[in-house]
Amino acid sequence: MPAVHGDQGREVESLDALGRFVCRRAPGAALAWKNRREVLTDRRRAQVLEELEPEGRELCGEWLTYGCFKRPKAATTGPEGGLGALPARPHGWLFLSRRGKAVPAVWALAVLGCPAVALAGLGLPGYTIALLGLGHAIGMTYTAKKKTEKGRVHADRAAAGNDGP
């Protein structure tokens, strides 16, 4: 994925705590970037840095045993490394692989399965109380969402100087 983002002019700034790429695109004339990931163990670290730094690659993040290196494509391709037109901003903000989608799905099944097993031993009064509690939690979540949206609208109006109702 970093190669696709690099071709779109997004520069890798760092890696977050989960090993995801933190990218940004400079306003104005953006450059295409060439990203590379290498294994950096204690024994290989010096060797990898000696090989990649003369090529103009910069270490921009480390996660576990991986190191992420970046370099503008213009360093090897010349003026073709710049971008003529920037691609549109993606619709989503989080892009997960199959494994990245499977883990939350399994987690959700476990979270839903545990209360189901716990409720299996309850009689009718226990189910009633559990359903009332679940309904209350859903209602409070919906109410909190509505109040948050109303607060944002009010704050936007106040910032614009229009303090209408």
Side-chain angles (χ1 to χ4, degrees):
M1 248 355 210
V4 172
H5 295 302
D7 289 339
Q8 295 176 352
R10 291 182 179 88
E11 175 185 358
V12 175
E13 285 186 332
S14 62
L15 299 175
D16 69 2
L18 298 176
R20 297 176 298 196
F21 295 95
V22 178
C23 300
R24 71 173 170 89
R25 186 164 48 200
L31 292 174
W33 289 86
K34 181 77 174 158
N35 300 309
R36 183 170 172 176
R37 185 170 49 184
E38 291 286 334
V39 176
L40 294 179
T41 58
D42 290 336
R43 289 183 293 161
R44 273 186 47 109
R45 183 182 187 84
Q47 176 190 357
V48 170
L49 291 174
E50 284 176 12
E51 290 174 5
L52 297 179
E53 284 180 349
E55 295 177 5
R57 294 194 183 270
E58 174 186 341
L59 180 65
C60 57
E62 293 183 54
W63 182 71
L64 298 177
T65 60
Y66 296 105
C68 181
F69 293 86
K70 66 181 179 183
R71 169 181 73 187
K73 277 193 174 180
T76 55
T77 61
E80 294 86 31
L83 293 176
L86 295 177
R89 187 177 194 156
H91 295 291
W93 62 273
L94 180 64
F95 304 97
L96 298 173
S97 65
R98 282 188 207 142
R99 186 182 303 168
K101 292 175 185 173
V103 169
V106 169
W107 180 83
L109 287 173
V111 166
L112 294 174
C114 289
V117 170
L119 290 174
L122 299 177
L124 184 58
Y127 281 122
T128 305
I129 292 169
L131 288 175
L132 285 173
L134 181 63
H136 179 69
I138 291 170
M140 293 307 295
T141 302
Y142 180 74
T143 303
K145 181 178 182 266
K146 285 296 186 187
K147 287 189 179 237
T148 302
E149 288 172 358
K150 184 178 178 183
R152 282 191 190 126
V153 169
H154 180 68
D156 290 343
R157 284 185 183 161
N162 181 9
D163 290 332

